[in-house]
Amino acid sequence: FGKGQTFFSGANGVVDRIIGGWQLQGIYTFQTGFPISFGTDLFYNGGDISIDSSDRTTTSWFNTSVFTTNAVPVSHLRTLPLRFSDVRRDNQNNFDFSLSKETRIREGMRIQLRFELINALNEPYFPAPVVNPTAANFGQVSATSANQDNYARRAQIGIKFLF
């Protein structure tokens, strides 16, 4: 829109400064969750460790009943895999958005106004679940360290003078 553009190319100076110079930008990121590392040695009894994503909650991220948690392994060869391919962290689902307006003040001087939303849809990226079998919250996504591993929605406004 505005002088030299497809729409309203013949607009006068005032109208051109109002409707011209707008930019819209968005960045969408989606990434499947990383496999969870089981650094603490457990006794794996066999069976399905994953929970269907529709049934998974922060209090039950994976099936803890397939492990023996009341015995602490001492001086034995580790047989538990470090990672299970079907037990993963939360997916990253993020959309960033910005709207900017640049206006010429006079020859060689412009002003730019920006409005930006980081994590515009406020999608949380949960921390990894607790994998220590002696912890009371074993298999849960615990909010004791942080609520989420990404930023909650952030809005920022900026003004830039270009000369």
PDB file of all heavy atoms in Angstrom, residues 39 85 106:
ATOM      1  N   GLY A  39      19.463 -41.443  33.230  1.00  0.00           N
ATOM      2  CA  GLY A  39      20.818 -41.490  33.754  1.00  0.00           C
ATOM      3  C   GLY A  39      20.940 -42.333  35.000  1.00  0.00           C
ATOM      4  O   GLY A  39      21.967 -42.925  35.268  1.00  0.00           O
ATOM      5  N   SER A  85      13.232 -44.828  22.608  1.00  0.00           N
ATOM      6  CA  SER A  85      12.862 -43.975  21.471  1.00  0.00           C
ATOM      7  C   SER A  85      11.425 -43.477  21.542  1.00  0.00           C
ATOM      8  O   SER A  85      11.100 -42.436  20.976  1.00  0.00           O
ATOM      9  CB  SER A  85      13.090 -44.722  20.160  1.00  0.00           C
ATOM     10  OG  SER A  85      12.251 -45.859  20.096  1.00  0.00           O
ATOM     11  N   ARG A 106      11.573  12.987   6.781  1.00  0.00           N
ATOM     12  CA  ARG A 106      12.045  13.850   5.699  1.00  0.00           C
ATOM     13  C   ARG A 106      13.210  13.135   5.034  1.00  0.00           C
ATOM     14  O   ARG A 106      13.562  12.026   5.432  1.00  0.00           O
ATOM     15  CB  ARG A 106      12.406  15.245   6.194  1.00  0.00           C
ATOM     16  CG  ARG A 106      13.535  15.300   7.188  1.00  0.00           C
ATOM     17  CD  ARG A 106      13.736  16.720   7.672  1.00  0.00           C
ATOM     18  NE  ARG A 106      14.874  16.725   8.573  1.00  0.00           N
ATOM     19  CZ  ARG A 106      15.779  17.651   8.609  1.00  0.00           C
ATOM     20  NH1 ARG A 106      15.703  18.680   7.798  1.00  0.00           N
ATOM     21  NH2 ARG A 106      16.765  17.578   9.453  1.00  0.00           N
TER      22      ARG A 106
END
